[in-house]
Amino acid sequence: QVQLVESGGGVVQPGRSLRLSCAASGFTFSSYGMNWVRQAPGKGLEWVATIWFDGSNIYYADSVKGRFTISRDNSQNTLYLQMNSLRAEDTAVYYCAKDAIISSGFYFFDYWGQGTPVTVSS
Amino acid sequence: DIQMTQSPSTLSASLGDRVTITCRASQSISRWLAWYQQKPGKAPTLLIYKASTLESGVPSRFSGSGSGTEFTLTISSLQPDDFATYYCQQYYSYWTFGQGTKVEIK
């Protein structure tokens, strides 16, 4: 069965960096686009970043553009989110989510990880 | 950017009630809309995609309709497991979620 397991969250000071990982199993990771979505405490869902199955296209929300970098290692079935210059408003639970449709394009998300919390605070 | 607006933000209902949630897009998104359910402390789960296609395993009391800019999610007879927050998401141009609708017990 599909499993997505995030890790790397924690408490970090403003301006510092953090790298999140998402270990995938149960499907052919290299065939699907992958995404990061976050949820601030008590708030709704916010799309953060997307990478196509082969890494050929990458998209970011304006709120993280220039500070966050999404990447993937298809040989390790792992998705990453490098977060630099962190701000208090980046505090959230970060979910990785799998595209529902094989190959590339704008798709909905059919499986989500359990999330990893990130707190940006001095 | 495409904005998604859900209404209401909170909905109080009783078991067995028919419940309807509306999602409006700031521009036409054809039928590129999904609905998710989220329970406290859990990840969202996919209910419906392409506006009206039920994800495998989702109970048939859930249904979706609409196209263009206006969409609805309907629960035909509210069950105990349905008390949760529901989000719409457009995937026509990048990805945007609605702000959520919390369905609570009346």
Side-chain angles (χ1 to χ4, degrees):
Chain A
Q1 72 281 23
V2 171
Q3 278 202 307
L4 299 170
V5 180
E6 302 95 336
S7 61
V11 180
V12 61
Q13 293 179 328
R16 303 299 290 265
S17 299
L18 207 58
R19 188 175 85 153
L20 307 182
S21 300
C22 171
S25 60
F27 66 103
T28 305
F29 180 74
S30 59
S31 296
Y32 290 87
M34 295 295 296
N35 312 273
W36 288 100
V37 176
R38 69 185 180 183
Q39 187 169 36
K43 302 297 185 183
L45 302 170
E46 179 188 15
W47 166 73
V48 172
T50 291
I51 184 167
W52 281 11
F53 71 104
D54 57 359
S56 61
N57 280 278
I58 286 173
Y59 307 96
Y60 297 101
D62 287 344
S63 57
V64 306
K65 201 173 294 182
R67 300 187 300 122
F68 290 11
T69 302
I70 188 173
S71 63
R72 64 191 297 158
D73 184 342
N74 285 345
S75 68
Q76 298 291 319
N77 292 344
T78 304
L79 176 73
Y80 301 101
L81 185 68
Q82 177 67 42
M83 305 187 295
N84 298 333
S85 304
L86 282 162
R87 306 166 179 167
E89 53 265 37
D90 295 319
T91 294
V93 174
Y94 284 74
Y95 296 100
C96 68
K98 169 187 166 291
D99 269 6
I101 308 295
I102 205 165
S103 190
S104 54
F106 290 171
Y107 300 122
F108 53 98
F109 310 151
D110 60 351
Y111 287 94
W112 300 58
Q114 84 289 350
T116 187
V118 173
T119 302
V120 184
S121 173
S122 53
Chain B
D1 291 7
I2 299 175
Q3 309 301 319
M4 305 301 292
T5 304
Q6 286 181 235
S7 60
S9 295
T10 306
L11 190 159
S12 298
S14 303
L15 292 176
D17 281 355
R18 181 181 182 87
V19 164
T20 298
I21 299 169
T22 298
C23 179
R24 289 187 173 87
S26 59
Q27 66 184 75
S28 176
I29 58 169
S30 185
R31 292 175 58 81
W32 303 117
L33 184 103
W35 290 97
Y36 299 87
Q37 178 192 68
Q38 187 181 34
K39 296 181 180 178
K42 300 294 187 182
T45 59
L46 176 66
L47 295 175
I48 286 169
Y49 60 93
K50 209 172 180 184
S52 62
T53 303
L54 206 63
E55 171 70 345
S56 175
V58 174
S60 59
R61 62 181 180 273
F62 290 92
S63 64
S65 65
S67 66
T69 61
E70 188 148 339
F71 303 85
T72 59
L73 171 69
T74 300
I75 309 172
S76 60
S77 178
L78 201 62
Q79 300 301 301
D81 194 47
D82 302 338
F83 292 98
T85 300
Y86 295 85
Y87 293 93
C88 62
Q89 177 208 32
Q90 68 82 16
Y91 52 100
Y92 174 81
S93 176
Y94 301 95
W95 300 265
T96 316
F97 291 92
Q99 81 277 18
T101 295
K102 183 178 181 180
V103 176
E104 59 182 27
I105 301 172
K106 190 173 184 178

